Amino acid sequence: MKTNPEYDIIVIGAGHAGCEAALATARMGFNTAIFTMNPDTIGQMSCNPAVGGLAKSHLVKEIDALGGEMAKITDKAGIQFKVLNKSKGPAVWATRVQADRALYRTYMRQTLETQDGLDIKQEHVEEILIENNMIKGIRTLECTYKAKAVIIATGTFLNGLIHIGRETEPAGRAGEPPSIHLSKSLHDRGFKIGRLKTGTPPRLDKNSIDFSVMDIQDGDVPPPPMSLFTAEIKNPQLPCYITYTNKQTHKIIMDNLKYSPLYSGVITGIGPRYCPSIEDKVVKFSDKTRHQIFLEPEGLDNEEYYTNGISTSLPREVQIKIVKSIKGLEKAGIRKFGYAIEYDFVYPTQLKPTLETKRIEGLFLAGQINGTSGYEEAAAQGLMAGINAALKLNKKNPFILGRHEAYIGVLIDDLVTKGTEEPYRMFTSRAEYRLLLRQDNADLRLMEKGRDFGLINKKEFNALVRKKAAIEKELKRIKSARAKPEIINPVLKKLGSSLIKEDTTLYQLLKRPEVKYGNIAEVAPSDNGITQDVINQVEIQTKYKGYVKRQAELAEKFKKIEEKIIPEGFVYKGINGLSTEIVEKLEEVKPLNLGQASRIPGVTPAAISLLMIAVGRK
């Protein structure tokens, strides 16, 4: 078998994790190859054509601030932009973008093809090559490739199996072959492998849908970009539509439940609780008479609509009945049927916080192979795996984000510390310090780190420096500028806010919940020419200063625990008071510090106290 020249880093898989990983390593100066079975599916949106949403947009904006690509491509392909949770506090604001599926693929492929130091290889990877527990390369059907580090980002392709009713077909996604030998290669190397399941809904012919009887859902005007570096959204914008299932829909599902591979026991993989199939919804929420369905356009020139809310693996003839029972879809034609897919994943507690495997040095895993669900979670892992693979080859310290620093830190810490038994999805409730980790301040939190890795260029970083200076300047101005009662009281009266009797700083006025920056700007405008982005930061930092300060103090206390390092190779067996079960959990996860140890399920506060003493003696 022919041996090709050596690459520094090889990435297996060109989905959202693989693309971010490969771009990061190439941009950090390493000769990289990305392997895909089909270059036409680089950056494929296999499920719904959307990026962001609740908690997920936090990940995307953090990727963006670190120098990743997802947000930029999203803006180029976006056909509807919307900020969710506007009526709530800024910690849970979230940007969601409907994307043109084909444009997203096209732009991502172009980005990879034009990236210096990155080769795209269309080959099927069969095996990872290892010597003395160190990665040495990969073997494809055609060749053997040497590499100093390998990142596996195979999505749902590991031993993938598609279900439609009683029919099953080995596939990574519809129409594409699975990766069977690679999964076996990992198993043979001693990795603990599990089985998960996810699904998709039917796609409908646009011209067969009666949108006139549905609720219309428009995007925001002007469209708010996902990326920090996008000045303007140029694509035409399209609406989404909302309809509902009904009692007839639910009867059809219940009458045909015996044909569901999920309920007949054919599917063994565990599916996501937060994104159940329509069969699951009808069975588990039997008191509900209807379930919401979003009809989402797949693209500007695409005649297909994605039926978000009726993911199913029921037989084709049943899917037809389900669709036609729904208001507005009575004459709808199905272009692609829904299906469920089972696939292998590697239990993520077998990973270090860098996403390098504990078992094999130089082997990193990213994306759905680690048990996650969603493009955003995958891309975040891909970027972090790429950065850490590059740092490892440069013999530099690893890059590990704390839970108080980023949603990416929460995501990876949850995976490697707690593990997962179902597809993991990010929620704002998973973050203890979510007021610190808002989507609006991702650049302020992380862009300097991206610059340190060479992923943020000088021009981009200088823009951040100017933004920080503008925020500080305006905060200083409103803290010193005072409003006279006769000038500001008419404004306060309109807002239903209490009137002032003496001169008051603009800062004190802006702290009031009902007063917006625009209100104080009416009477005391800034002459600094500040942008809306700066205005948002001034307002948020003023109104939430007390809350942010308290969370920052809590995070600092937490950091002190995190800084108590557990030495590598520390022996837990023999510590008086630690049960055998707790010792086994600690040995499995091999926590880096006491903070991580405290988050391992089943490790009690008493055990942490004993461990703290033992580590102190060591």
Side-chain angles (χ1 to χ4, degrees):
M1 181 176 285
K2 180 183 175 185
T3 301
N4 276 19
E6 179 178 347
Y7 283 96
D8 293 319
I9 297 171
I10 283 174
V11 179
I12 304 172
H16 303 282
C19 289
E20 294 290 354
L23 288 169
T25 56
R27 289 167 177 172
M28 291 175 74
F30 289 93
N31 190 21
T32 303
I34 186 168
F35 284 75
T36 175
M37 288 185 275
N38 182 1
D40 291 336
T41 59
I42 288 173
Q44 175 79 298
M45 303 179 107
S46 305
C47 199
N48 64 320
V51 174
L54 303 180
K56 289 171 173 280
S57 69
H58 292 68
L59 292 172
V60 180
K61 288 179 178 288
E62 289 174 355
I63 292 166
D64 195 43
L66 288 168
E69 201 65 25
M70 175 173 264
K72 296 185 183 77
I73 301 295
T74 297
D75 287 344
K76 289 180 179 179
I79 55 177
Q80 189 193 90
F81 293 73
K82 195 174 187 67
V83 177
L84 310 177
N85 280 344
K86 283 183 181 177
S87 62
K88 299 181 180 179
V92 293
W93 291 348
T95 305
R96 186 182 188 276
V97 182
Q98 199 69 30
D100 183 307
R101 189 188 298 274
L103 281 179
Y104 193 98
R105 271 198 320 264
T106 298
Y107 285 124
M108 186 61 84
R109 180 174 178 174
Q110 287 175 357
T111 302
L112 265 63
E113 288 177 335
T114 56
Q115 176 60 51
D116 292 340
L118 177 59
D119 291 342
I120 299 172
K121 297 284 186 179
Q122 186 177 357
E123 296 182 42
H124 192 125
V125 179
E126 294 277 288
E127 184 183 8
I128 52 173
L129 303 178
I130 297 160
E131 287 180 18
N132 300 321
N133 294 325
M134 293 183 66
I135 198 74
K136 291 298 177 183
I138 63 167
R139 182 178 63 81
T140 72
L141 288 172
E142 292 82 11
C143 305
T144 295
Y145 292 86
K146 291 182 180 179
K148 298 168 187 171
V150 171
I151 301 169
I152 302 180
T154 46
T156 60
F157 279 73
L158 280 187
N159 210 12
L161 186 65
I162 280 178
H163 299 267
I164 302 179
R166 298 288 172 85
E167 300 174 29
T168 59
E169 175 191 0
R173 60 181 161 234
E176 297 181 61
S179 179
I180 296 172
H181 296 291
L182 184 57
S183 182
K184 184 177 183 302
S185 176
L186 289 168
H187 183 271
D188 290 346
R189 297 295 180 179
F191 287 98
K192 183 183 176 185
I193 306 291
R195 197 85 169 142
L196 294 177
K197 166 254 174 188
T198 189
T200 66
R203 272 75 157 179
L204 308 182
D205 186 336
K206 171 186 175 181
N207 300 310
S208 65
I209 300 170
D210 183 3
F211 294 112
S212 67
V213 298
M214 300 180 185
D215 299 328
I216 191 168
Q217 186 183 56
D218 290 310
D220 292 347
V221 180
M226 183 69 84
S227 174
L228 299 158
F229 312 109
T230 301
E232 180 186 5
I233 301 301
K234 297 181 179 179
N235 286 335
Q237 300 294 288
L238 298 180
C240 295
Y241 297 88
I242 299 173
T243 186
Y244 299 88
T245 62
N246 52 57
K247 290 181 180 179
Q248 183 190 354
T249 313
H250 298 182
K251 185 177 187 306
I252 293 168
I253 292 167
M254 293 303 294
D255 289 347
N256 291 278
L257 206 58
K258 61 190 174 201
Y259 301 115
S260 166
L262 182 64
Y263 280 89
S264 61
V266 175
I267 290 177
T268 58
I270 299 170
R273 281 176 297 154
Y274 49 79
C275 188
S277 66
I278 189 61
E279 300 97 285
D280 250 352
K281 289 180 187 177
V282 171
V283 171
K284 293 178 179 177
F285 304 101
S286 56
D287 57 320
K288 293 194 71 170
T289 56
R290 68 177 192 172
H291 293 282
Q292 195 173 60
I293 302 167
F294 290 91
L295 290 180
E296 302 171 343
E298 300 241 332
L300 294 171
D301 301 316
N302 192 321
E303 297 297 305
E304 289 182 9
Y305 266 70
Y306 183 91
T307 53
N308 192 344
I310 52 171
S311 174
T312 182
S313 57
L314 284 163
R316 292 177 178 84
E317 61 273 17
V318 179
Q319 291 190 39
I320 293 171
K321 291 179 181 177
I322 290 171
V323 167
K324 290 186 178 296
S325 72
I326 296 167
K327 186 178 180 181
L329 305 182
E330 294 86 354
K331 297 180 181 179
I334 297 179
R335 286 196 163 198
K336 293 174 186 171
F337 287 93
Y339 62 84
I341 182 166
E342 284 186 283
Y343 56 95
D344 288 349
F345 81 106
V346 175
Y347 284 95
T349 50
Q350 299 169 97
L351 303 176
K352 300 175 183 178
T354 59
L355 298 181
E356 184 182 19
T357 65
K358 297 170 183 173
R359 186 174 293 275
I360 307 297
E361 187 175 352
L363 177 64
F364 294 77
L365 307 183
Q368 284 180 278
I369 190 173
N370 292 337
T372 59
S373 171
Y375 311 142
E376 303 84 358
E377 290 88 344
Q381 292 172 74
L383 177 63
M384 294 298 284
I387 290 171
N388 277 304
L391 292 173
K392 184 178 180 68
L393 296 195
N394 269 335
K395 295 182 170 54
K396 291 186 177 179
N397 290 333
F399 178 45
I400 300 170
L401 284 166
R403 298 180 71 90
H404 62 292
E405 293 179 295
Y407 269 76
I408 294 175
V410 175
L411 164 69
I412 293 176
D413 183 66
D414 277 353
L415 291 174
V416 303
T417 304
K418 302 174 184 177
T420 188
E421 297 291 336
E422 65 175 344
Y424 177 103
R425 177 181 177 177
M426 180 51 68
F427 296 106
T428 53
S429 59
R430 295 189 190 273
E432 301 91 328
Y433 308 106
R434 52 185 175 272
L435 196 52
L436 302 179
L437 310 181
R438 307 182 309 274
Q439 70 162 20
D440 64 83
N441 68 356
D443 55 342
L444 303 175
R445 291 185 279 120
L446 299 174
M447 195 182 286
E448 191 167 343
K449 298 178 189 294
R451 182 203 58 173
D452 292 343
F453 302 134
L455 299 176
I456 294 292
N457 63 40
K458 188 175 181 180
K459 180 182 177 182
E460 292 167 339
F461 187 71
N462 285 342
L464 175 70
V465 172
R466 290 193 298 271
K467 176 180 173 179
K468 283 184 174 180
I471 294 167
E472 289 304 316
K473 186 175 182 180
E474 184 60 10
L475 282 171
K476 185 177 180 180
R477 183 185 79 87
I478 66 172
K479 285 178 180 177
S480 60
R482 306 183 77 84
K484 294 183 179 298
E486 61 269 25
I487 295 175
I488 194 65
N489 278 342
V491 176
L492 297 177
K493 187 175 181 180
K494 286 180 185 177
L495 297 173
S497 186
S498 58
L499 306 183
I500 60 173
K501 295 179 180 179
E502 56 187 27
D503 292 2
T504 305
T505 65
L506 302 182
Y507 184 75
Q508 285 298 324
L509 293 168
L510 188 55
K511 287 173 75 172
R512 299 184 180 190
E514 66 276 10
V515 177
K516 305 299 181 188
Y517 179 90
N519 302 132
I520 63 170
E522 279 183 47
V523 297
S526 170
D527 58 2
N528 297 330
I530 58 177
T531 63
Q532 186 60 49
D533 198 18
V534 170
I535 290 170
N536 292 343
Q537 284 302 313
V538 168
E539 187 164 323
I540 290 169
Q541 290 184 28
T542 300
K543 291 186 182 300
Y544 295 93
K545 183 180 179 181
Y547 302 105
V548 169
K549 184 181 177 183
R550 282 197 289 274
Q551 281 210 350
E553 288 169 351
L554 286 173
E556 193 59 34
K557 289 180 182 177
F558 166 80
K559 187 179 174 184
K560 289 177 182 177
I561 300 175
E562 292 290 308
E563 288 172 349
K564 293 189 182 295
I565 303 298
I566 298 174
E568 191 173 347
F570 186 82
V571 178
Y572 299 97
K573 194 173 182 180
I575 296 177
N576 288 333
L578 288 189
S579 68
T580 302
E581 180 186 0
I582 288 176
V583 168
E584 287 174 354
K585 288 176 182 290
L586 291 166
E587 288 178 342
E588 178 190 4
V589 175
K590 295 182 175 60
L592 297 181
N593 50 58
L594 289 176
Q596 187 184 1
S598 71
R599 294 188 295 277
I600 299 172
V603 176
T604 62
I608 293 299
S609 297
L610 294 170
L611 184 56
M612 188 183 297
I613 294 168
V615 169
R617 287 174 180 164
K618 181 73 174 178

